Amino acid sequence: MRAMMISKLCAGRRRVNSSSKLRPARRRLVLTLGLLATLRCGSANSRTFAVDTYDALRKVDVVGVESVRLDAELIAGTFDLDELDHVTRDDGGTVIVDKLARRWKRKYSGAADVRWFGARGDGLSLDTVAIQRADRSIAAEIYFPPAIYPTASVRMTKPWYMADGAWLKYVPEKPNAAWIVKCEANRGGGRIHVDGNWDAPMVGVLVTGNGNTFAELTVRNIVSGVGDPVGAAIKISGRDNNVEKIRGVNILRRGNSNMSSPQLLTFGKGAEGNRVRGLSGIKVTSGVVSAATSRNFVGRIDLDGALDNGIYNTSGYLDVDELIYRGEDEAIVVIGGGLDLNVATIYSGFNAAVGIANCEDVRIANLMLRGAGPTSLCKTRGSDGFCRSLTLSNVSGVLHGDGLCYMARGKVGLFRIDRLELEYRPNLGSDPRKWAYFSACERIELGKIAISIVSQNVPLSHEDVFLLRFPPELISPSSIDSIKIDIVDRGGASGKASWRALNVLSPGMSLNEGFLRTDAGPFLEGSPRDLVAGRLYANGVPKVGVWRAGQRLWDVGLSNGGWRCVEGGSPGVWIPFGR
């Protein structure tokens, strides 16, 4: 009977379906049978039909159909009927619930396309609702094809993967958002690109979840000015997150603001055990800022055009494998917690390479000064606070500006350099009168020190220049293994300057070997009689300093000869020996 009715409907569906005299209930039955007839007529085994929109699928109430095909642009795909599922909600992209409360589920593999949920990606339409709909769907991962997706702030609870050329473009809100993307996922991750649209949200990407793995986090075009909140392109406050690559472009302060934000990466107070393999920034205010109370790790930091610091640590411990800094301020600042840095290469800066205050242990294994270099190697910041230790294992390169170290404020328990080999080139206007000043240090340990001071166009005309000054404030015995200083004045001021290679005022200072070659001033000043010394080399007898009888200076031009103090005093009476 049913087969006969279907056969008749195949022959004249238009006449049957257009009947206006059938009662409503009978009309629905006829329409249903007509749809079944259409399927059967198309193929003996066909159980699929097509609709254009999700709303059309939601209105379906036919039975006997297993698949539905959507042909509309952006949402095209095949949905299969899941007759066993009675609870999954309609998520607007991968699961659609029809009029009979049945679940139609999209057939796909991998990540779900954000456009299935209504995102246009045309650079104009606001895609916030669609992005949040996708994130709340049953899909395990969300994929963003290459396009511009305008959005206000959004939350991320699962991995998002953005193709090259796919960007979330921030649409400014009033007041400005606390974040553009907030990652609350645990054991998730993904690949995220955010464009701040030259506005000032507090954070571009905020990671509060734990155990996520990100292939890439990229943020561009974020600015902050006076009145804006202190911000960051990326802030990690969760635990045990791993990021393969972080990139930032145009993370800037606005106008003439002297703010140190926005930073490229900030570790928040609760951050612990997070690892970033590589971080690069072009035209950024600051690089990595850590306010965490625990230890976090960064592999390589590469900054080009930084306005402020490359590393700024305020608490906890930060482990960094490599820093490459081309900027305009101190490359490394530690004002709390501690820092372990393996390699730092500093190409420019208008301040010290390293600034410390009120911190624990700061260790830098290899510090290389290249190009214009910083104006000094290290300094203490602030008038109070205590830094337990600063250790520089291997320092090399060229230094420009005022001097080596100015550590005259606060307190440093131990300042140690294992090996230093530097060429110092004074700039016009440089004032190196306290070239290496250690009054803030309690103990100093210097290994092999070699300093070559070369004046090309700037005469060494300053008086009272202390290359290495060890003041009486040193409360613990300090030591130098060996020191070699060459002063070459090509600026035409030889004989006019007064440069002291060593100014020793602290008791118990020991020097294994010293070597000085200069005609710009004496070798030792202060109280050399209190210096526990091995062999000291110079190119002339002392002119200043308090010496004791029996002390010797070896002539740098002789293999075995020099001068011996026969009568102590200032500078005492000297006679040659071994000549």
Side-chain angles (χ1 to χ4, degrees):
M1 179 70 178
R2 182 180 180 186
M4 290 177 62
M5 182 176 293
I6 291 174
S7 178
K8 291 179 181 179
L9 289 169
C10 286
R13 285 180 12 252
R14 182 175 300 174
R15 178 177 58 81
V16 174
N17 290 341
S18 62
S19 174
S20 60
K21 297 182 179 181
L22 295 175
R23 291 192 298 273
R26 185 172 179 82
R27 186 183 299 118
R28 285 196 296 273
L29 175 60
V30 171
L31 289 172
T32 300
L33 292 173
L35 177 57
L36 289 171
T38 301
L39 300 173
R40 295 292 176 86
C41 293
S43 170
N45 298 316
S46 177
R47 304 177 71 84
T48 302
F49 68 97
V51 295
D52 290 330
T53 64
Y54 293 138
D55 285 340
L57 180 54
R58 292 185 179 102
K59 294 176 182 178
V60 169
D61 59 359
V62 299
V63 295
V65 178
E66 296 178 353
S67 296
V68 177
R69 187 179 70 253
L70 269 69
D71 295 326
E73 185 182 3
L74 303 183
I75 65 170
T78 299
F79 287 74
D80 289 342
L81 178 63
D82 186 349
E83 296 181 304
L84 300 178
D85 186 355
H86 304 290
V87 296
T88 304
R89 62 177 178 82
D90 188 326
D91 64 16
T94 57
V95 179
I96 302 298
V97 180
D98 70 11
K99 195 172 183 179
L100 300 180
R102 297 173 300 181
R103 272 66 182 171
W104 297 88
K105 296 184 178 179
R106 184 185 289 271
K107 292 178 64 175
Y108 70 99
S109 61
D113 193 321
V114 70
R115 297 174 300 179
W116 297 345
F117 302 89
R120 304 295 299 175
D122 57 11
L124 300 173
S125 306
L126 190 64
D127 287 327
T128 308
V129 174
I131 293 170
Q132 292 290 232
R133 186 184 296 127
D135 188 73
R136 291 193 297 266
S137 72
I138 68 167
E141 301 171 349
I142 306 301
Y143 172 69
F144 291 73
I148 303 298
Y149 301 89
T151 182
S153 56
V154 289
R155 295 175 183 267
M156 170 187 170
T157 62
K158 61 185 59 176
W160 294 0
Y161 292 93
M162 297 184 180
D164 290 337
W167 289 90
L168 297 182
K169 189 172 184 178
Y170 177 58
V171 176
E173 305 167 83
K174 297 299 181 183
N176 271 321
W179 66 81
I180 299 177
V181 177
K182 182 179 182 181
C183 174
E184 301 171 330
N186 292 309
R187 315 305 300 179
R191 190 169 186 250
I192 301 175
H193 306 154
V194 172
D195 187 330
N197 200 16
W198 301 103
D199 210 87
M202 187 175 292
V203 179
V205 178
L206 173 61
V207 180
T208 60
N210 306 317
N212 298 289
T213 300
F214 295 94
E216 179 187 342
L217 297 176
T218 297
V219 178
R220 68 184 184 189
N221 304 337
I222 286 182
V223 296
S224 288
V226 176
D228 293 324
V230 176
I234 297 163
K235 182 176 182 179
I236 299 177
S237 296
R239 300 186 307 276
D240 301 321
N241 294 285
N242 289 277
V243 184
E244 183 71 17
K245 179 167 56 178
I246 285 178
R247 296 190 301 178
V249 180
N250 297 327
I251 312 300
L252 302 170
R253 57 190 178 206
R254 197 193 311 271
N256 294 323
S257 169
N258 61 357
M259 296 172 59
S260 61
S261 67
Q263 301 97 24
L264 177 50
L265 170 64
T266 293
F267 288 110
K269 185 175 182 181
E272 179 180 354
N274 298 287
R275 294 180 180 272
V276 176
R277 184 170 181 179
L279 177 147
S280 62
I282 299 175
K283 295 183 179 179
V284 299
T285 301
S286 298
V288 178
V289 175
S290 179
T293 55
S294 300
R295 189 179 291 268
N296 294 280
F297 307 86
V298 180
R300 176 187 173 99
I301 302 172
D302 190 342
L303 302 177
D304 191 353
L307 298 177
D308 287 316
N309 316 115
I311 296 173
Y312 193 95
N313 198 71
T314 63
S315 62
Y317 269 83
L318 187 62
D319 284 275
V320 180
D321 185 51
E322 182 178 7
L323 169 67
I324 300 173
Y325 179 82
R326 303 172 186 87
E328 301 180 8
D329 206 335
E330 292 163 298
I332 303 160
V333 175
V334 184
I335 60 170
L339 172 70
D340 275 313
L341 174 58
N342 186 30
V343 179
T345 306
I346 301 172
Y347 287 92
S348 59
F350 298 109
N351 214 318
V354 183
I356 59 172
N358 199 28
C359 54
E360 297 180 29
D361 300 310
V362 178
R363 291 183 287 269
I364 302 175
N366 298 280
L367 180 58
M368 295 174 285
L369 310 180
R370 301 287 185 263
T375 57
S376 61
L377 180 63
C378 52
K379 73 173 186 178
T380 51
R381 304 170 104 244
S383 58
D384 55 8
F386 178 77
C387 179
R388 187 161 59 191
S389 69
L390 170 61
T391 300
L392 307 176
S393 298
N394 187 16
V395 182
S396 64
V398 178
L399 189 68
H400 300 257
D402 293 340
L404 181 71
C405 307
Y406 187 72
M407 308 178 78
R409 295 179 293 180
K411 286 294 180 184
V412 179
L414 169 64
F415 176 60
R416 175 177 174 176
I417 299 178
D418 293 329
R419 178 180 176 275
L420 182 143
E421 187 172 345
L422 280 180
E423 180 177 315
Y424 172 55
R425 301 174 183 173
N427 295 324
L428 186 64
S430 297
D431 186 1
R433 280 173 292 184
K434 292 179 179 177
W435 201 82
Y437 196 79
F438 300 107
S439 64
C441 301
E442 294 183 351
R443 178 178 173 83
I444 299 170
E445 294 181 3
L446 302 181
K448 296 185 181 302
I449 308 298
I451 302 171
S452 176
I453 301 177
V454 179
S455 174
Q456 298 287 353
N457 302 314
V458 181
L460 299 176
S461 57
H462 286 290
E463 296 183 358
D464 300 322
V465 176
F466 305 123
L467 296 186
L468 292 174
R469 186 173 191 268
F470 301 98
E473 290 90 341
L474 290 173
I475 61 176
S476 299
S478 297
S479 64
I480 304 175
D481 181 22
S482 67
I483 182 166
K484 180 180 180 181
I485 297 177
D486 281 288
I487 301 178
V488 180
D489 184 2
R490 297 195 180 103
S494 295
K496 301 178 183 178
S498 178
W499 286 63
R500 280 81 162 162
L502 288 175
N503 180 256
V504 180
L505 299 174
S506 56
M509 185 74 190
S510 65
L511 171 62
N512 184 40
E513 183 179 65
F515 181 100
L516 174 71
R517 179 160 44 205
T518 179
D519 55 4
F523 180 29
L524 283 169
E525 189 186 48
S527 300
R529 64 183 178 186
D530 298 325
L531 179 69
V532 181
R535 180 169 287 197
L536 305 180
Y537 293 84
N539 61 338
V541 296
K543 299 178 182 178
V544 295
V546 180
W547 298 80
R548 68 175 184 272
Q551 286 185 303
R552 293 188 178 192
L553 283 178
W554 300 80
D555 192 334
V556 296
L558 299 177
S559 59
N560 190 23
W563 303 270
R564 179 167 57 89
C565 183
V566 295
E567 182 178 334
S570 178
V573 178
W574 295 78
I575 62 173
F577 71 89
R579 297 174 181 271

